[in-house]
Amino acid sequence: MAKQFPAMEDTHQHFIASQKIFFTGSGALGARTNISPRPTEHLHVLDPNHVAYLDLTGSGSETAAHVRAYGPVTLMFCAFDGPPSILRLYGKGRVAFRGSSDYAGFLDRFYGGVELLGARQVVSLAIDLVQTSCGYGVPLFAYAGERPVLARWAEAKGEAGLRAYRAEKNAVSLDGLPTGFREP
């Protein structure tokens, strides 16, 4: 049975900390719904009603476009090992782009002020609902490790190549919605 909570409890935060992957779901009126996998290594619990993650350069920036269009954001965590469980965080998203004071503050707090190569923005979620469910249908998977491909790709591009790539691929969504992305 699904259970709902107004904020994350300690058990929810421990569950999140033990996962290796989460999924970001977002949408906007008239646009396609987007679901993207993310590594939990860049997700940080700020308090019981706020989480944020460092978002690395990718082929699109759907979440930023949907947040800009005032669409809701959901983060979903599934237990792929251990006891079955699903945890969803529902709320209002916000994006802090490279060069902004919020972005710099996030880097200071969680990365010693050092920007990872390929980082493009911080996505945060003001949580208005936490929901848990059984997860009985989630299959078991063994964690084999992180893929080094994205980091190698960013290194090969270099800062100038990443800037050009983001300018080409991250300015608008798949449906033509503006993301608000800008380079500092």
Side-chain angles (χ1 to χ4, degrees):
M1 255 323 162
K3 294 181 183 175
Q4 298 178 340
F5 307 83
M8 288 183 291
E9 296 182 351
D10 287 344
T11 56
H12 303 139
Q13 293 181 42
H14 291 297
F15 177 75
I16 289 169
S18 68
Q19 304 313 306
K20 301 293 185 195
I21 188 172
F22 70 99
F23 301 87
T24 300
S26 63
L29 187 61
R32 290 171 178 83
T33 301
N34 185 68
I35 303 168
S36 295
R38 304 278 182 223
T40 54
E41 70 180 312
H42 298 302
L43 176 83
H44 303 277
V45 174
L46 307 177
D47 64 49
N49 284 99
H50 295 89
V51 295
Y53 64 90
L54 184 64
D55 190 35
L56 305 178
T57 301
S59 58
S61 193
E62 302 304 299
T63 304
H66 295 159
V67 165
R68 185 180 172 109
Y70 305 106
V73 174
T74 301
L75 304 186
M76 183 180 76
F77 304 82
C78 301
F80 292 113
D81 61 5
S85 186
I86 298 172
L87 173 77
R88 290 180 180 90
L89 305 175
Y90 298 92
K92 176 83 175 117
R94 188 167 168 271
V95 176
F97 295 108
R98 293 180 76 221
S100 70
S101 60
D102 288 343
Y103 180 86
F106 182 86
L107 291 181
D108 286 344
R109 181 172 175 186
F110 296 107
Y111 297 89
V114 177
E115 183 178 48
L116 277 78
L117 184 64
R120 66 176 169 191
Q121 58 205 14
V122 172
V123 177
S124 60
L125 181 67
I127 300 163
D128 58 37
L129 178 67
V130 176
Q131 181 174 293
T132 60
S133 55
C134 67
Y136 294 163
V138 176
L140 291 169
F141 287 101
Y143 178 71
E146 297 295 324
R147 295 177 193 261
V149 180
L150 185 59
R152 279 190 260 161
W153 174 84
E155 288 171 9
K157 285 266 185 209
E159 186 57 38
L162 287 166
R163 284 177 174 274
Y165 184 87
R166 288 189 291 257
E168 178 186 349
K169 302 283 190 179
N170 294 167
V172 296
S173 74
L174 180 63
D175 296 305
L177 297 173
T179 64
F181 184 80
R182 59 196 172 279
E183 292 287 353

